[in-house]
Amino acid sequence: MRRPNILWLIGENLSHDLGCYGAKNVHTPNLDALASEGVRYTRVFATNPACAPSRSAFFAGMYQTTTDTHPMRSHRDDDFRLPEGVRPVTHRLKDAGYYTANIKTVGQDTVGTGKLDLNYVNEGSIYHEGSSAWETVKNRQPFFAVVNAEENEYDIYDRKSAEKERVEWVGESIHVQHAKPESGTPPPYYPDHPVVRQEWARYLNSVSGMDLRFGKVLAQLRAEGLEDNTIIIFFGDNGQLEPRGIHWCYDNGLRVPMIIKWPKNFPAPTQIKAGTVDERIHSLIDVTATTLALAGLPKPALMQGRVFLGDLAEAPRTFAFSARDRIDETQQRIRSVHEERYHYIRTISSGPTFASLNRYKEKCFAIMPVMRDLHAQGKLTGPALELMQRTGPCEELYDTEADPHEINNLAGSQEPTHREALIRLRAALDAWMVETGDRGAVPEAPEVVAPFAGEMHQWFGTPAWAQPKQ
């Protein structure tokens, strides 16, 4: 059977911040063109608002809370193996004859990081060896190639962030300044402050930089005559790289962009029509099941992701579930469920939520110390103040249609429609946690957690307010 090539373009830390999604002050012509030639998806949700647990989930097509890969960067130095019958998607594609590549370069250009960041390290090689250069795939078809974006991230991997006055964004020195601090409008849950405007502009310029790198991959695909034989799937791994985005189960931490372009040399499934928008609910683990189906492979019996394209497409989702557990040294247990309009968040752990200590956030995200200073001075008001004051355990309910920034918590509303949504989503979340064997209720051993505080201190330092009193 003749099979298509499949290309995953994975964006780092972004939500609907592309021109084709209506974002302003960004320059994303390559992904906008991809959307005009493909399908743009509006309700796709990561299963975790941080990279390692999210990637661990969509690389296996299973919730990280089911496979015990839910804490951030866990199982890196133990003998952990994935549950029996659960395998990385690349292993299944290898067995079917696909060449699997983790692309870092196109010619002389760096286009990807080669990132894995999976919470399983004992499964053998994830990709074929020596597959980091684009040139390796041309004569090895069918191929499954992944390009993990350089942007959007702070430039932290020299592990010297603690020594720097300000941690720059990856590529910051070469990003075209399409967004300027004075021209943008940061989200309303931040104070109107010069630093907030600067960071928001840097974030948007980083998104534009991501588009530029992906454009080089798409241009090479076209130049080599591979475009018409390759299914292109672009998606984000988790939400925005800003303080209330990444790490938190708000919409902007979980809702990610996705675009799929179908190749001319293969008949398109009925769900694919160029230039259209798909508003169905999808989880990122559905990308995994669907990729296997597009390669002509059956969905594994245990896989929790759903096939959403082709003749074997499954029933659409009613809900998309997400979960956040320990991230670095910060211990939180939060669960989330989206339906078409309403979004329910349950914080199970106790203590501060957004205001809890995470050294990476405190050092790199310049907005965090600004908010702490203003809060200490009594100058925070409205949604920003509520965010800094929020503690768990608690419930939150948002109408994402009327309130896309999620600043009006409806959990205490007596409006019948809101009460019905709250009851409905509570029940859906309870059922999901039981049915999927949510392992978040099983705490990590103290000796596993304790070293993260020291490691994060060495990497990012500890802010003065969090240091022990002398």
Side-chain angles (χ1 to χ4, degrees):
M1 181 183 74
R2 183 166 162 270
R3 289 169 294 179
N5 305 316
I6 301 172
L7 173 63
W8 279 9
L9 301 175
I10 304 179
E12 280 265 13
N13 307 320
L14 80 160
S15 193
H16 287 185
D17 306 299
L18 307 172
C20 58
Y21 282 92
K24 307 298 183 185
N25 299 306
V26 291
H27 186 67
T28 53
N30 296 295
L31 292 171
D32 295 348
L34 197 71
S36 70
E37 299 165 356
V39 178
R40 177 170 60 87
Y41 295 79
T42 62
R43 289 190 177 96
V44 182
F45 300 96
T47 61
N48 183 282
C51 50
S54 174
R55 288 169 178 268
S56 298
F58 69 67
F59 244 78
M62 300 282 289
Y63 293 110
Q64 73 279 359
T65 46
T66 299
T67 61
D68 195 27
T69 58
H70 50 296
M72 183 71 164
R73 298 197 174 98
S74 53
H75 300 308
R76 302 299 175 92
D77 55 5
D78 58 19
D79 59 359
F80 173 81
R81 295 293 305 273
L82 287 170
E84 186 175 354
V86 181
R87 304 175 66 203
V89 63
T90 47
H91 288 191
R92 299 185 188 279
L93 290 166
K94 278 182 187 179
D95 290 349
Y98 272 79
Y99 179 74
T100 61
N102 188 3
I103 303 297
K104 296 172 69 174
T105 60
V106 171
Q108 299 301 309
D109 292 323
T110 299
V111 295
T113 61
K115 183 173 185 172
L116 288 177
D117 215 5
L118 301 174
N119 291 335
Y120 32 92
V121 298
N122 300 312
E123 303 301 319
S125 297
I126 299 297
Y127 297 91
H128 279 91
E129 297 291 339
S131 66
S132 65
W134 178 262
E135 291 73 19
T136 63
V137 305
K138 183 175 181 179
N139 297 316
R140 291 182 172 94
Q141 298 185 58
F143 63 75
F144 172 75
V146 178
V147 185
N148 294 280
E150 296 247 328
E151 289 90 357
N152 313 299
E153 179 56 282
Y154 287 99
D155 198 356
I156 60 176
Y157 293 106
D158 60 1
R159 291 186 176 258
K160 295 182 178 180
S161 298
E163 304 170 16
K164 301 173 183 176
E165 184 175 348
R166 185 181 74 80
V167 182
E168 292 190 351
W169 295 69
V170 170
E172 182 174 331
S173 62
I174 61 172
H175 292 157
V176 178
Q177 303 300 296
H178 297 286
K180 296 179 172 54
E182 62 274 13
S183 62
T185 304
Y189 39 79
Y190 296 135
D192 189 357
H193 188 279
V195 170
V196 174
R197 291 182 172 277
Q198 289 165 9
E199 282 299 294
W200 187 247
R202 288 186 180 113
Y203 166 69
L204 294 177
N205 289 328
S206 186
V207 174
S208 300
M210 173 203 68
D211 182 87
L212 187 64
R213 291 192 206 261
F214 280 158
K216 294 175 181 179
V217 179
L218 295 170
Q220 191 69 17
L221 191 75
R222 192 172 301 118
E224 294 183 353
L226 299 173
E227 182 179 31
D228 291 344
N229 293 316
T230 304
I231 300 169
I232 303 169
I233 306 177
F234 160 78
F235 59 92
D237 65 346
N238 53 255
Q240 293 169 336
L241 194 76
E242 44 104 350
R244 207 199 73 159
I246 184 175
H247 294 186
W248 298 107
C249 287
Y250 294 104
D251 198 75
N252 62 309
L254 295 171
R255 189 184 298 248
V256 296
M258 185 169 75
I259 300 167
I260 299 179
K261 181 176 179 291
W262 199 262
K264 293 179 181 177
N265 290 343
F266 288 83
T270 57
Q271 302 91 346
I272 294 282
K273 291 183 175 59
T276 61
V277 176
D278 186 320
E279 296 184 341
R280 295 177 296 169
I281 293 175
H282 302 290
S283 170
L284 273 190
I285 59 174
D286 300 340
V287 175
T288 320
T290 301
T291 293
L292 293 176
L294 298 180
L297 302 178
K299 174 183 163 180
L302 292 177
M303 188 170 281
Q304 294 162 320
R306 297 190 186 186
V307 177
F308 61 85
L309 292 177
D311 295 338
L312 299 178
E314 299 174 78
R317 289 183 178 273
T318 303
F319 305 110
F321 299 96
S322 306
R324 178 246 159 102
D325 293 275
R326 179 186 57 76
I327 293 179
D328 304 326
E329 77 277 38
T330 310
Q331 293 181 277
Q332 300 273 352
R333 188 180 180 214
I334 304 173
R335 298 295 181 262
S336 155
V337 53
H338 276 91
E339 59 178 7
E340 281 196 3
R341 180 163 183 166
Y342 291 97
H343 179 205
Y344 170 70
I345 304 170
R346 180 186 299 168
T347 298
I348 301 168
S349 48
S350 59
T353 57
F354 180 81
S356 58
L357 172 64
N358 180 273
R359 290 168 175 84
Y360 161 58
K361 282 282 188 75
E362 299 294 334
K363 179 62 183 180
C364 297
F365 293 63
I367 295 173
M368 286 301 302
V370 166
M371 292 185 69
R372 290 197 187 279
D373 288 347
L374 292 175
H375 189 213
Q377 297 171 40
K379 294 181 179 179
L380 277 188
T381 60
L385 177 60
E386 292 172 7
L387 194 56
M388 289 296 290
Q389 292 177 330
R390 186 159 293 138
T391 60
C394 65
E395 292 181 302
E396 298 168 68
L397 178 71
Y398 298 103
D399 180 343
T400 60
E401 186 176 302
D403 176 27
H405 290 294
E406 296 183 320
I407 58 177
N408 183 21
N409 183 7
L410 303 174
S413 170
Q414 296 305 307
E415 168 68 38
T417 302
H418 301 157
R419 296 298 301 169
E420 290 167 7
L422 181 66
I423 293 167
R424 181 171 63 249
L425 293 177
R426 272 178 182 164
L429 186 62
D430 287 339
W432 174 80
M433 292 169 69
V434 172
E435 290 170 0
T436 61
D438 183 351
R439 294 181 58 87
V442 181
E444 291 178 284
E447 60 268 24
V448 171
V449 177
F452 282 99
E455 181 183 7
M456 293 298 105
H457 172 74
Q458 290 179 352
W459 200 344
F460 301 110
T462 301
W465 65 266
Q467 293 178 12
K469 296 288 190 293
Q470 297 299 322

